[in-house]
């Protein structure tokens, strides 16, 4: 089946944390996707607009929402970062292809679910949780790690879900917090064993920067004993 492309208009682009931008695009008519998938945007070189390359963006909105929501972490000098920070404005259009990806939470899962994400690694979890929490009965833990309070985004939204659904639990780890931070202090790897020790009864999702996902994938298979079919890993650059 050929991959469809769409020309979509940007409806909002704003910084919501120290190096995080939240971007909203219109949702094309008939655009269907599964929670956890991503799309490819054509991103121009700012000094040479004819030089176009694609960049992947995980979809944060649920399939039922009327707009397409994304969050992007700035990479100094990066093509997509410069496009978003310096060029992309409300009303501008972009070419989008997709959806793609298999980072999917099967609603038929019976095991408890452990979601691990650093920074914009939590983006696909927003889509999955909004889509599936109303139907899932098993326990779901989201472990969300960033550097400091200035890097947190969407924490209020995840906290509201934890209050609404008694089977969903949010755990935040800050590796370099301010002195006033009263939550967990340390890398996300130091919080995981405090949340669960029974990994054999978990379906594990890991999303974030490649160094973290590579390290935790190896840990999950070799130390936690997670079976390959119960481990889902997606890294971003």
């Amino acid at each position: 089946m050929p991959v469809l492309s769409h020309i979509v208009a940007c409806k909002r682009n704003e910084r919501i944390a120290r190096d995080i931008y939240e971007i909203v695009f219109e949702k094309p008519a008939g655009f269907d996707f599964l929670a956890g998938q991503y799309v490819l945007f054509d991103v121009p070189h700012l000094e040479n607009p004819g030089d176009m390359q694609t960049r992947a963006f995980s979809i944060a909105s649920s399939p039922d929402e009327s707009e397409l929501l994304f969050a992007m972490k700035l990479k100094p000098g990066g093509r997509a970062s410069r496009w978003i920070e310096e060029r992309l404005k409300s009303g501008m259009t972009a070419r989008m292809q997709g959806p793609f990806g298999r980072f999917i939470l099967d609603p038929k899962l019976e095991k408890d679910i452990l979601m691990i994400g650093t920074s914009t690694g939590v983006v696909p979890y927003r889509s999955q949780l909004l889509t599936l929490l109303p139907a899932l009965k098993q326990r779901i833990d989201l472990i969300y790690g960033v550097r400091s309070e200035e890097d947190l985004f969407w924490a209020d939204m995840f906290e509201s879900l934890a209050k609404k659904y008694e089977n969903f639990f949010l755990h935040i780890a800050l590796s370099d917090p301010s002195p006033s931070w009263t939550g967990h202090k340390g890398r996300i790897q130091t919080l995981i064993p405090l949340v669960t020790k029974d990994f054999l009864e978990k379906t594990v999702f890991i999303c974030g920067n490649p160094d973290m996902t590579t390290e935790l994938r190896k840990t999950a298979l070799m130390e936690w004993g997670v079976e390959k079919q119960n481990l889902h890993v997606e890294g971003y650059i």
Side-chain angles (χ1 to χ4, degrees):
M1 181 179 294
V3 175
L4 297 179
S5 65
H6 306 270
I7 303 299
V8 292
C10 178
K11 302 183 71 173
R12 189 175 75 251
N13 179 19
E14 63 180 323
R15 188 189 292 258
I16 58 171
R18 173 161 41 195
D19 57 359
I20 303 293
Y21 274 78
E22 181 181 88
I23 308 106
V24 177
F25 282 91
E26 66 179 7
K27 185 177 181 179
F31 180 77
D32 296 318
F33 65 95
L34 299 174
Q37 290 191 298
Y38 67 91
V39 295
L40 295 175
F41 277 100
D42 284 0
V43 178
H45 188 285
L46 294 195
E47 283 72 43
N48 182 14
D51 177 359
M52 197 74 70
Q53 296 180 7
T54 58
R55 292 293 186 269
F57 290 75
S58 291
I59 305 171
S61 44
S62 77
D64 294 331
E65 290 182 292
S66 61
E67 300 173 327
L68 293 177
L69 175 67
F70 305 90
M72 189 269 188
K73 181 180 175 67
L74 294 180
K75 179 181 179 181
R79 176 185 289 250
S81 298
R82 292 195 60 204
W83 177 58
I84 288 171
E85 190 173 29
E86 301 175 32
R87 180 67 55 83
L88 186 62
K89 309 292 183 186
S90 178
M92 294 180 63
T93 59
R95 179 174 176 265
M96 180 186 80
Q97 302 175 64
F100 304 96
R102 298 181 179 180
F103 195 68
I104 308 298
L105 200 167
D106 186 344
K108 298 178 183 178
L109 285 174
E110 296 182 355
K111 291 179 178 286
D112 289 344
I113 299 164
L114 177 63
M115 297 174 165
I116 302 169
T118 52
S119 189
T120 48
V122 301
V123 168
Y125 299 141
R126 181 190 185 279
S127 180
Q128 293 171 349
L129 291 168
L130 290 177
T131 304
L132 298 171
L133 262 178
L136 293 178
K137 303 303 180 185
Q138 61 266 55
R139 180 184 175 108
I140 304 173
D141 289 279
L142 170 59
I143 302 179
Y144 176 11
V146 294
R147 183 179 179 185
S148 72
E149 293 95 323
E150 294 179 336
D151 302 296
L152 274 174
F153 64 98
W154 297 350
D156 291 345
M157 184 276 300
F158 288 127
E159 288 170 355
S160 68
L161 290 178
K163 292 177 181 178
K164 182 176 181 180
Y165 297 97
E166 61 181 16
N167 60 322
F168 174 59
F169 302 87
L170 173 66
H171 316 272
I172 295 176
L174 301 188
S175 60
D176 188 22
S178 70
S180 62
W181 175 251
T182 58
H184 185 82
K185 301 175 182 178
R187 297 175 68 211
I188 199 169
Q189 289 87 335
T190 64
L191 179 55
I192 295 169
L194 302 179
V195 172
T196 183
K197 299 189 188 313
D198 191 8
F199 294 100
L200 294 179
E201 298 303 317
K202 301 284 187 183
T203 297
V204 180
F205 290 78
I206 304 171
C207 188
N209 73 73
D211 290 339
M212 183 277 290
T213 56
T214 299
E215 176 185 342
L216 285 187
R217 183 182 187 279
K218 185 181 300 184
T219 300
L221 293 173
M222 300 181 66
E223 297 181 21
W224 300 345
V226 179
E227 297 181 348
K228 284 187 177 180
Q229 65 266 29
N230 296 324
L231 179 63
H232 309 270
V233 181
E234 187 159 279
Y236 62 79
I237 299 176

